[in-house]
Amino acid sequence: QVQLVESGGGLVQAGGSLRLSCAASGRTFSSYGMGWFRQAPGKEREFVAAISTIGGSTSYVDSVKGRFTISRDNTKKTVWLQMNSLKPEDTAVYYCAAGRKTFGTFIGDYWGQGTQVTVSS
């Protein structure tokens, strides 16, 4: 089992940057793919980015490609989401998930509590 705690959210102006962190506990972190999702008010949760177990493969939703970067360090049991050139439409609660890719779709098995990101125009 994996417990996840996100941090790093906050308020930032459009064009700014934030780095989200997700710290994991449990001995099996390195066996899980990791992903970031977000949920804006009144919208469904959407996939943002994912990274494979050893970090060799990443994937992103089209709207963040070239702006966001997902990375992980299995020795630190941590995954990050570097967010640059932020836009007001990036405003959402961001969730970290541990899971797996199935038929090209990342499925989260364990979830963090979320961290709020607000981008002002």
Side-chain angles (χ1 to χ4, degrees), residues 31-35 37 47 50-53 59 72 97-111:
S31 65
Y32 286 93
M34 297 298 297
F37 291 73
F47 167 80
I51 189 166
S52 59
T53 54
S59 59
R72 69 186 293 167
R100 66 212 184 280
K101 214 165 187 180
T102 303
F103 297 106
T105 300
F106 185 87
I107 306 296
D109 294 321
Y110 302 99
W111 295 84

Side-chain angles (χ1 to χ4, degrees), residues 46-85:
E46 69 165 345
F47 167 80
V48 176
I51 189 166
S52 59
T53 54
I54 58 173
S57 175
T58 58
S59 59
Y60 300 90
V61 66
D62 285 348
S63 60
V64 308
K65 284 180 180 177
R67 300 189 298 122
F68 290 11
T69 302
I70 188 171
S71 60
R72 69 186 293 167
D73 184 332
N74 287 344
T75 64
K76 297 180 179 179
K77 295 183 181 179
T78 302
V79 62
W80 297 274
L81 185 67
Q82 178 67 44
M83 305 186 296
N84 299 328
S85 302

